[in-house]
Amino acid sequence: RGGSLDGIVEMRVYTPEELQSRLTIDANGDVHMPLLGADAKRAHGALMNVIITPLCRSDEIRALLYGGSGNNDKLIDSKPIKVGALLAGAPGVGKTSLAYHCASLAAKMSRVSLLDVSCTSLIHKEIGGSERAVQRLFAAVRAAAPCMLLLDGIECVAPKRGNDNTSEG
């Protein structure tokens, strides 16, 4: 929703309420995953362990890692829990759907928002423009914490090394 990134980065911010409205919940209160298959379930389980649990239960994890019994402990507050994952796969296999589902679950468990960025909007023609855009993006992410950042279409701006013929070396 704009701010200091207007005209610099194409980004959509989803509030926890918007994310929770995306969840499909049955009569028993169980949340249904939007993707089918063993690979999707395995990827979802890994993301639950690597992203969602640390993000939503960071206070408890800090207490376990660094000691202390409450939120007032200076040592605990000084060490933020940072997590990340790269979802790789062919186009159309459900990487974005899985990321949205995980963000929706995190929003249900905790007050987590989702920042969805179109990576092609990070590329600017002027010298240093792309670097400035990335710098401002991550400053906005830090300000929005706790949140999840979805860099959609990163393969368009960061192709596999060795396949770029636009420069020497």
Side-chain angles (χ1 to χ4, degrees):
R1 296 182 186 162
S4 65
L5 298 178
D6 274 346
I8 296 171
V9 176
E10 184 182 323
M11 177 171 61
R12 169 85 165 94
V13 178
Y14 292 90
T15 66
E17 293 78 18
E18 290 172 314
L19 290 168
Q20 288 178 48
S21 71
R22 298 175 65 99
L23 291 174
T24 306
I25 302 172
D26 66 14
N28 296 330
D30 295 329
V31 176
H32 288 279
M33 200 166 77
L35 302 170
L36 303 173
D39 288 339
K41 288 181 182 178
R42 199 170 25 257
H44 177 263
L47 289 173
M48 281 295 293
N49 292 333
V50 173
I51 302 289
I52 298 171
T53 300
L55 186 63
C56 296
R57 305 203 55 198
S58 59
D59 291 338
E60 293 94 337
I61 292 171
R62 275 195 297 272
L64 285 171
L65 290 175
Y66 305 115
S69 58
N71 292 338
N72 296 331
D73 191 4
K74 300 272 189 235
L75 181 63
I76 293 174
D77 291 336
S78 67
K79 298 190 185 276
I81 302 292
K82 297 177 184 178
V83 293
L86 175 65
L87 302 180
V93 297
K95 298 179 297 288
T96 302
S97 293
L98 186 58
Y100 271 91
H101 180 69
C102 288
S104 299
L105 286 174
K108 184 176 186 225
M109 293 171 64
S110 184
R111 300 287 304 163
V112 174
S113 57
L114 173 71
L115 285 65
D116 184 357
V117 175
S118 171
C119 284
T120 55
S121 71
L122 293 171
I123 302 300
H124 295 272
K125 288 189 254 183
E126 69 276 357
I127 295 175
S130 299
E131 291 81 359
R132 255 189 317 281
V134 171
Q135 210 171 33
R136 288 181 180 166
L137 169 64
F138 282 100
V141 170
R142 282 189 292 277
C147 67
M148 293 178 73
L149 173 63
L150 174 60
L151 296 172
D152 208 5
I154 197 162
E155 69 277 0
C156 297
V157 297
K160 185 177 176 184
R161 286 185 171 212
N163 292 341
D164 183 15
N165 59 6
T166 60
S167 63
E168 294 182 31

